[in-house]
Amino acid sequence: MKSCTFIIAVLFFIVITGDVYPKENRGAAEIILESGSRGNIAFPHSRHQDAISDCKTCHTLFPQKSGSIQALIAQGSLEKKQAMTVCQSCHKDMASREEKTGPTRCSKCHDKSLTK
Ligand code: HEC
Ligand code: HEC
Ligand code: HEC
C-alpha cells in the first residue's frame, strides 16, 4: 500500500510541475548572425537543434538570447571568432568522419549580401 501512495504522489508531482514549467523556448528557426566586415551568416538554428540533441553544445559559450554573441564580444568576455571556432570545429570533425554537416569554407558561411 505504501508504494502505491508513493506512485500516486509522484504522478501528482509530474502533473503539477508540467504546468509550472512552460515548454522550452527554442528561439527562431533561422537566425542571421552578425559578423562585422566579413559578411553576416545565415544560421539554420532549428536544423541544428534537430541534428544536435544537447543545447549546451553551443549554449555554454553564449546564452539562449538573440544577439548574445556580439553582446559578449562588446563586453570583452568573448573573443572575436571564438564562437566561430565552435561552429567550424564541429563541421570539420564531422566532415572528417564523412558525416553530413555544415560548411568549413569562409565564403560558405560569410555572405556580404547579408550585411546591411
Ligand atoms: C549549433 C549551435 C546551437 C545549438 C545546438 C542550439 N543553439 Fe540556440 N542559438 C544558437 C545561436 C548561434 C543563437 C544566436 C545567438 C546570437 O544571436 O548571438 C541562438 C539563439 C537561441 C535563442 C534566442 C534566439 C531567439 O530567437 O529568441 C534561444 C531561445 C535558443 N537559442 C534556444 C536553444 C535551445 C532550446 C536549444 C536546444 C534545443 C538550442 N538553442 C540549441 C546556436 C545554437
Ligand atoms: C561555420 C561558419 C563559419 C565559417 C566556415 C567561417 N566563419 Fe568566420 N565567423 C562565423 C561566425 C558565426 C562569426 C561571428 C561570431 C564570432 O566572431 O565568433 C564569425 C566571425 C568572423 C570574423 C570576425 C568578424 C568581426 O569583425 O567581428 C572574421 C574576421 C571571420 N569570421 C573570418 C573567417 C574566415 C577568414 C574564415 C575562413 C577561414 C571563416 N571566418 C569561416 C562563422 C564562420
Ligand atoms: C556540434 C556540431 C555543430 C555545431 C557546433 C555547429 N554546426 Fe552547423 N551544422 C552541423 C550539422 C550536423 C549540419 C547539417 C544539418 C542538416 O542539414 O540537417 C550543419 C549545417 C550548417 C549549415 C547549413 C549548410 C547548408 O548546406 O545548408 C550552416 C550554414 C551552419 N551549419 C552554420 C553553423 C554556424 C554558423 C555555427 C556556429 C554558430 C554552427 N553551424 C555550429 C553541425 C554543427
Side-chain angles (χ1 to χ4, degrees):
M1 267 324 273
K2 252 200 181 142
S3 70
C4 186
T5 316
F6 178 72
I7 288 164
I8 288 167
V10 167
L11 286 176
F12 190 67
F13 181 75
I14 290 168
V15 170
I16 296 278
T17 52
D19 281 340
V20 171
Y21 297 109
K23 248 193 164 170
E24 179 183 54
N25 173 14
R26 286 170 62 95
E30 303 287 334
I31 295 174
I32 303 289
L33 294 173
E34 255 183 70
S35 169
S37 57
R38 187 71 216 192
N40 290 352
I41 298 113
F43 173 62
H45 193 216
S46 70
R47 271 167 61 198
H48 282 84
Q49 291 169 329
D50 293 341
I52 306 155
S53 54
D54 191 357
C55 310
K56 291 201 212 86
T57 307
C58 296
H59 287 298
T60 37
L61 192 62
F62 52 91
Q64 294 180 7
K65 191 164 178 286
S66 177
S68 60
I69 295 174
Q70 291 305 324
L72 291 174
I73 291 173
Q75 279 168 30
S77 38
L78 203 65
E79 298 282 333
K80 276 185 182 175
K81 302 211 270 186
Q82 205 176 329
M84 173 179 125
T85 303
V86 174
C87 315
Q88 264 189 320
S89 49
C90 174
H91 293 170
K92 269 188 198 151
D93 287 350
M94 289 186 77
S96 72
R97 295 194 299 266
E98 292 181 3
E99 290 168 342
K100 182 178 188 261
T101 188
T104 51
R105 279 179 47 204
C106 322
S107 62
K108 293 281 176 189
C109 271
H110 292 281
D111 181 350
K112 286 206 168 107
S113 73
L114 295 174
T115 309
K116 279 159 250 140

